[in-house]
Every structure is written in structure tokens, then in C-alpha cells.
Amino acid sequence: ASITKMMTAYVVLKDKPLQPGQSGPVIELTAKDAQRWLEMLAQDQSSLPVAAGQRLTELQLLEGLLVPSANNYAEILAAWDAGSVSAFVQKMNAEAQALGMKDTTFWPTAEQIERLAKSYRTRSDGKGLEETGISFLRGDLTSRARTPFPAGGLFSTAADLARFYRAILLGGELDGARIVSRAAIEEM
């Protein structure tokens, strides 16, 4: 799963921790969830089939998010946790900052795009690198109407990603402080 999906699971489990052996609350899916799945399917996005009225547990949604990397499960969990995807993205950004991931954002500002969204290619003379555009990044990346997506919505650095994974690997502790419950880490 992408770092965006790992952060989604992290925030959900921090907000709504599962007890070992339990599946958590049941979420009833809506017609909007089913329609969104069809849209993702048409766009060839990673997703899992859903139907209006279908009932899935928090654990089932997390498993679908992390194992087959279902984008629609990410959106369902986000809306369930925060009321909307945009509100959830704000929570992910806040959590990244709380973890000390100062160069990570899921909705970049123009300044962050200028600083973080860079790509390089070998110069034509073969001596060194030159900056080049990133062809797959289209549209206004600062627009709050845009939902973050893998390889086009997350901006981060290797140091920030290492910090996030270190917190997970250290059992939910970072810099000597517990930042997520042991139960939540066990469910990851």
C-alpha cells in the first residue's frame, strides 16, 4: 500500500483503535460509495467492489485498504472517520506534522510544490543533471477539490517517510513518546 494508505490506516486506528481479536464497528455502505467504486473502476484505479447497503467492519475496510490497496476503501474510511475526505486529509496533514514529518503534505501549498515537486534528467552532454517537468502531475495540485492520489498528491521526503515507518516499527513510539496504542499497531 502507498504511504497515503498507510497514513490513512494510522489515523483511523489512532482515532478508532481496534482491540485484538475484534473487528470494530460495522459501516453500512451507501449508493454514493457504490457509484464511486464504478467511477474508480472506469478509471482503472485499484478498488474493490461494493454495493449500497453492504455492511463491512472497520477491520474488513482496513484489510481492503492495505492488502489489495483499494482506493475506494480509503475514501470510505476517511468519510467514516472525519465526515469527508477533505476533512480527513486535513487530519492526515496534522498527524504528519505531529510526527515531525515537516516536509510531508497530502495537499501541498504552492511553496511546497516549488520546493518538493522536482524531477531531474541527465543533461544532454551527459555531465550532471538538469531539472525537468513532471509529466504525470497535471492540474492545480493546491486545489482542495482534488483528492490526493498515489504519485500525485503526496509530497514527502525520504527522511519523513523513514520517520513515519520508524514510529510503526518501534511499536507506536517515537522520540520516547507513545504516539499510537499498542492495540492499533498490532492491527496494522
Side-chain angles (χ1 to χ4, degrees), residues 12 24 43 48 69 74 81 101 105 117:
V12 167
Q43 297 168 353
L48 288 172
S69 196
D81 180 79
M101 298 168 66
T105 183

Side-chain angles (χ1 to χ4, degrees), residues 96-175:
Q97 293 306 303
L99 288 168
M101 298 168 66
K102 62 182 174 51
D103 289 323
T104 296
T105 183
F106 297 91
W107 263 337
T109 63
E111 294 80 27
Q112 288 170 317
I113 290 171
E114 180 63 30
R115 189 167 52 84
L116 297 172
K118 301 218 182 277
S119 183
Y120 298 88
R121 65 176 173 219
T122 304
R123 289 179 20 177
S124 58
D125 63 8
K127 297 179 181 177
L129 300 174
E130 64 185 2
E131 195 172 320
T132 185
I134 305 173
S135 62
F136 62 85
L137 295 179
R138 294 185 178 90
D140 181 6
L141 295 177
T142 62
S143 169
R144 294 308 184 246
R146 179 192 58 78
T147 300
F149 57 96
L154 166 71
F155 290 83
S156 193
T157 62
D160 278 2
L161 297 179
R163 187 167 180 77
F164 177 72
Y165 287 119
R166 192 169 74 229
I168 302 301
L169 293 172
L170 291 175
E173 293 186 14
L174 188 62
D175 300 332

Side-chain angles (χ1 to χ4, degrees), residues 65-111:
L65 168 76
L66 295 172
V67 179
S69 196
N71 293 342
N72 59 329
Y73 278 34
E75 289 187 6
I76 292 165
L77 282 164
W80 174 65
D81 180 79
S84 70
V85 172
S86 61
F88 190 80
V89 171
Q90 291 175 357
K91 287 177 80 169
M92 289 195 306
N93 280 334
E95 195 58 45
Q97 293 306 303
L99 288 168
M101 298 168 66
K102 62 182 174 51
D103 289 323
T104 296
T105 183
F106 297 91
W107 263 337
T109 63
E111 294 80 27

Side-chain angles (χ1 to χ4, degrees), residues 27-47:
I27 296 97
E28 186 168 334
L29 306 184
T30 66
K32 181 180 174 185
D33 296 326
Q35 179 59 40
R36 187 69 180 119
W37 169 65
L38 292 173
E39 292 168 7
M40 288 181 177
L41 193 61
Q43 297 168 353
D44 200 29
Q45 290 190 40
S46 177
S47 60

